[in-house]
Amino acid sequence: MWPKSFAAFFFGIILSISLMLNLNHFLPLAVDVRLLVGLVSGFCLWVAVMIYCYSRNSAKAAVWGCSKTLLASGAVNVYFFVAG
């Protein structure tokens, strides 16, 4: 249970930050509204990733699934960083 908890905690934080960075590039809103949307959505994503990690049979399966999503989101973040 502890390995799944550590995977859920760390991947939840990293994925929610990465996905919210991607989302902020697409929102045509004021900065304060984007921060509020990012905060609320980021927390919801963190909870969703934690539920996903706990639903897997092992911590290895949870880390593998989260790593694929993080790799895709990280590639989009790198694109936005280089292009912008």
Side-chain angles (χ1 to χ4, degrees), residues 52-79:
Y52 170 78
C53 288
Y54 284 124
S55 70
R56 300 290 101 193
N57 291 332
S58 67
K60 185 177 181 180
V63 168
W64 179 249
C66 290
S67 296
K68 291 189 289 188
T69 306
L70 183 61
L71 184 65
S73 179
V76 173
N77 280 325
V78 168
Y79 172 76

Side-chain angles (χ1 to χ4, degrees), residues 11-33:
F11 274 104
I13 289 174
I14 293 170
L15 274 173
S16 65
I17 291 170
S18 181
L19 291 171
M20 287 303 101
L21 283 173
N22 291 337
L23 181 66
N24 277 335
H25 288 292
F26 297 118
L27 291 177
L29 302 171
V31 173
D32 54 348
V33 176

Side-chain angles (χ1 to χ4, degrees), residues 5-6 10 23-24 34 62-63 73 75 80:
S5 297
F6 288 129
F10 290 114
L23 181 66
N24 277 335
R34 284 190 297 184
V63 168
S73 179
F80 283 134

